[in-house]
């Protein structure tokens, strides 16, 4: 397949998927998501691949879902596969978070470990993609979080309770604040953080020996871990929060205000309205 939104390369038994929309900080358009899923499945089927690495081109790993498509910035936005054109249908059924969960569970179910290398930003949908990977390495100064919980919706994929303590999960989701990669390591959200200038070298130092392990051994270890979390309700919990997204997105008082501001005044103005008070108080975002 010829990719337009990602780069795909295999070397030393490592398949590297590079999100390649640097001018958009690798915002997750439907086309980009489709290509990532295709590449993941191609890597799974390739006997020359042991480990999959996901990274971002340019200044960021991923700044989130493509807001021009999803926040009303385009008159005829592209939609994810299986999308029903009726806004009411989407609101009632939560089509968007269902499509996000469907896509990122591909990582969870893949028979090969998927590693994220994060720099710059991993926000909103970018933090979902990152958090669904099996191992995350990040630059100490990168910024990760879920600002949309301030005004738009609950997370599309509710990873917070599974990645950190209840105290920190509630703090980050209720405030929409972001933290650095170094702090994320301290909280157990990610595996390790490194100085930004050492990130590429240190990630390869981690991956090279891992890529020499037998794929069946890695698959057995990944599946045994996943099964334990499945027994604790991981998949069911992610599926069960879709109605809360629908309520927060469409049926609460003030629902749609962010989208209205984005369409009327532009995305930058809407983001300033959402995040301005937190910037004044000195938070990361």
């Amino acid at each position: 397949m010829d990719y337009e939104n990602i780069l795909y390369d295999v070397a030393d038994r490592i398949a590297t998927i590079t999100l390649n929309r640097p001018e958009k900080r690798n915002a997750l358009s439907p086309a980009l998501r489709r290509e990532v899923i295709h590449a993941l499945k191609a890597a799974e089927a390739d006997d020359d691949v042991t480990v999959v690495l996901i990274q971002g081109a340019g200044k960021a790993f991923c700044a989130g879902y493509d807001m021009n498509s999803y926040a009303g910035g385009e008159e005829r936005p592209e939609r994810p596969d299986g999308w029903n054109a009726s806004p009411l249908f989407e609101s009632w059924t939560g089509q968007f978070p269902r499509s996000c969960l469907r896509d990122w569970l591909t990582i969870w179910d893949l028979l090969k470990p998927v590693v994220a290398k994060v720099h710059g930003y991993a926000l909103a949908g970018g933090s979902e993609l990152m958090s669904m990977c099996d191992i995350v390495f990040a630059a100490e100064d990168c910024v990760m979080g879920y600002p949309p919980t301030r005004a738009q919706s609950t997370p599309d994929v509710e990873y917070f309770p599974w990645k950190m303590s209840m105290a920190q999960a509630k703090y980050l989701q209720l405030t929409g604040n972001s933290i650095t990669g170094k702090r994320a390591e301290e909280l157990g959200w990610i595996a390790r953080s490194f100085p930004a200038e050492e990130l590429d070298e240190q990630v390869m130092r981690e991956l090279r020996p891992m890529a020499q392990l037998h794929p069946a051994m890695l698959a057995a270890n990944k599946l045994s871990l996943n099964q334990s979390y499945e027994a604790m309700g991981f998949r069911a919990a992610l599926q069960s929060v879709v109605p809360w997204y629908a309520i927060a997105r469409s049926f609460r008082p003030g629902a749609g205000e962010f989208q209205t501001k984005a369409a009327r005044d532009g995305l930058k103005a809407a983001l300033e309205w959402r995040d301005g008070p937190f910037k004044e108080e000195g938070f990361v975002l």
Side-chain angles (χ1 to χ4, degrees):
M1 179 176 177
D2 293 327
Y3 297 119
E4 297 181 359
N5 297 278
I6 67 170
L7 303 175
Y8 183 77
D9 177 68
V10 177
D12 300 324
R13 304 193 64 79
I14 301 169
T16 301
I17 300 171
T18 303
L19 311 182
N20 194 34
R21 301 181 75 207
E23 74 285 357
K24 298 284 189 180
R25 293 190 177 182
N26 299 315
L28 295 165
S29 66
L32 174 57
R33 286 167 54 187
R34 281 194 295 272
E35 291 184 10
V36 169
I37 299 309
H38 184 279
L40 285 167
K41 293 179 178 179
E44 183 180 47
D46 188 346
D47 290 338
D48 291 330
V49 171
T50 304
V51 178
V52 183
L53 174 66
I54 300 180
Q55 62 183 7
K59 296 181 178 180
F61 173 74
C62 178
Y65 292 108
D66 190 336
M67 301 289 277
N68 281 324
S69 291
Y70 304 127
E74 294 181 359
E75 183 178 352
R76 302 174 66 85
E78 182 187 6
R79 294 303 193 191
D81 294 335
W83 191 275
N84 186 293
S86 166
L88 181 61
F89 186 82
E90 191 283 327
S91 297
W92 278 108
T93 61
Q95 275 185 299
F96 184 71
R98 289 180 190 277
S99 74
C100 299
L101 181 57
R102 174 203 66 205
D103 285 350
W104 304 146
L105 281 174
T106 302
I107 297 172
W108 178 261
D109 292 327
L110 210 75
L111 291 175
K112 295 177 180 177
V114 181
V115 177
K117 181 175 71 176
V118 179
H119 74 291
Y121 295 94
L123 299 175
S127 73
E128 293 174 3
L129 169 57
M130 174 196 83
S131 297
M132 291 297 284
C133 290
D134 300 301
I135 301 174
V136 180
F137 300 119
E140 291 178 346
D141 63 353
C142 76
V143 176
M144 52 188 69
Y146 214 104
T149 61
R150 294 170 177 166
Q152 292 160 266
S153 70
T154 58
D156 308 298
V157 179
E158 184 64 86
Y159 60 77
F160 279 115
W162 299 92
K163 289 292 180 175
M164 59 196 73
S165 70
M166 182 189 296
Q168 296 299 332
K170 288 196 173 185
Y171 170 68
L172 289 176
Q173 185 164 329
L174 291 174
T175 64
N177 288 344
S178 299
I179 60 175
T180 64
K182 183 176 181 180
R183 180 60 177 153
E185 179 186 3
E186 294 170 352
L187 298 183
W189 186 357
I190 66 172
R192 297 193 66 182
S193 65
F194 304 101
E197 65 274 13
E198 298 178 14
L199 182 62
D200 291 344
E201 177 186 354
Q202 293 291 350
V203 170
M204 290 311 298
R205 187 179 65 83
E206 295 274 359
L207 292 190
R208 278 192 293 266
M210 185 179 179
Q212 301 309 308
L213 300 178
H214 197 289
M217 189 75 253
L218 287 168
N221 277 310
K222 176 173 178 173
L223 292 175
S224 68
L225 284 164
N226 284 7
Q227 188 169 11
S228 295
Y229 287 105
E230 296 265 5
M232 289 187 276
F234 175 79
R235 190 182 299 260
L238 295 184
Q239 294 169 335
S240 71
V241 300
V242 169
W244 289 109
Y245 169 93
I247 291 170
R249 178 74 167 74
S250 302
F251 300 109
R252 63 172 173 84
E257 190 170 0
F258 180 90
Q259 286 77 10
T260 299
K261 288 182 179 295
R264 184 187 64 213
D265 304 323
L267 182 57
K268 185 176 181 180
L271 291 172
E272 182 60 33
W273 168 78
R274 185 191 73 184
D275 300 328
F278 293 87
K279 291 180 181 178
E280 293 170 6
E281 295 299 327
F283 294 104
V284 173
L285 282 179

